[in-house]
Amino acid sequence: LYRPPNPERAGHPARFRFQTRGSAIRILVLDDEPFMHRVLVHMLASLGFPEVETRDDGAATLAELAAGAQAPDLILLDLNMPRMDGIEFLRGLAEQGYAGSVVLVSAEGERVLQMTEKLVQAHRMEVLGHLRKPVSLAALAAIVQKWRPASAASEKAELYGPEALRA
């Protein structure tokens, strides 16, 4: 089910709520391209995640979360967006104490994606991996399969110190 971003809801707490495989998981696709919303929502639906929220603006999404919206369990995040890029969005999530998981989605090179994964981990957030655009269903399925509730994910999160980030 594709639900395009609704500008009328700006300033109101977003509702990220879904049922799948017998348990609730809240999924957000944050990408500035409506086409990517449709593609990822369709792929996730075929994997058993029938409802997925979409947003096209990182700053507005952070504002919704700061205003008390329930945070998604899993965010598929584009790195290259206008107004606020994915890196800035990740910093904002960290400042808000985000406890969910992140999947990076980008056409950037492998090195950029790996460094961004390390940045996410340095902020003590769970990163499940990254997907290169165009996203394949098999790659998405493999990454989403890694998702665990925040309490289970935090038990095995690998933290990177300053030395590891310089590598």
Side-chain angles (χ1 to χ4, degrees):
L1 178 65
Y2 173 66
R3 292 190 178 145
N6 184 346
E8 294 176 8
R9 284 183 20 184
H12 299 288
R15 294 183 185 158
F16 305 96
R17 59 188 176 332
F18 315 106
Q19 292 290 326
T20 186
R21 298 183 187 148
S23 64
I25 177 174
R26 293 171 307 279
I27 302 176
L28 170 67
V29 172
L30 180 55
D31 195 303
D32 61 312
E33 293 292 330
F35 176 74
M36 284 306 298
H37 290 175
R38 289 189 297 276
V39 167
L40 290 171
V41 166
H42 178 74
M43 288 179 165
L44 287 163
S46 74
L47 294 173
F49 302 94
E51 294 184 44
V52 177
E53 286 284 334
T54 60
R55 297 287 186 279
D56 61 2
D57 184 320
T61 302
L62 285 176
E64 288 177 8
L65 294 171
Q70 187 174 10
D73 299 308
L74 176 61
I75 299 174
L76 280 73
L77 175 64
D78 181 22
L79 293 180
N80 294 319
M81 296 181 289
R83 192 166 173 219
M84 175 183 275
D85 66 30
I87 303 286
E88 290 176 283
F89 179 78
L90 289 167
R91 286 186 189 124
L93 275 182
E95 289 172 6
Q96 292 186 20
Y98 179 67
S101 300
V102 176
V103 174
L104 307 173
V105 182
S106 182
E108 290 292 334
E110 188 69 20
R111 184 153 171 82
V112 170
L113 289 165
Q114 289 173 353
M115 292 305 295
T116 306
E117 280 189 32
K118 288 182 178 182
L119 173 68
V120 174
Q121 291 167 337
H123 283 295
R124 299 183 182 196
M125 291 187 293
E126 175 75 12
V127 62
L128 300 182
H130 61 267
L131 298 167
R132 301 257 342 245
K133 290 180 180 180
V135 175
S136 75
L137 181 60
L140 178 62
I143 284 188
V144 171
Q145 195 94 15
K146 297 177 186 179
W147 180 83
R148 299 290 178 267
S151 60
S154 65
E155 292 173 11
K156 65 177 188 101
E158 182 178 350
L159 299 179
Y160 287 87
E163 297 306 316
L165 291 173
R166 289 187 194 106

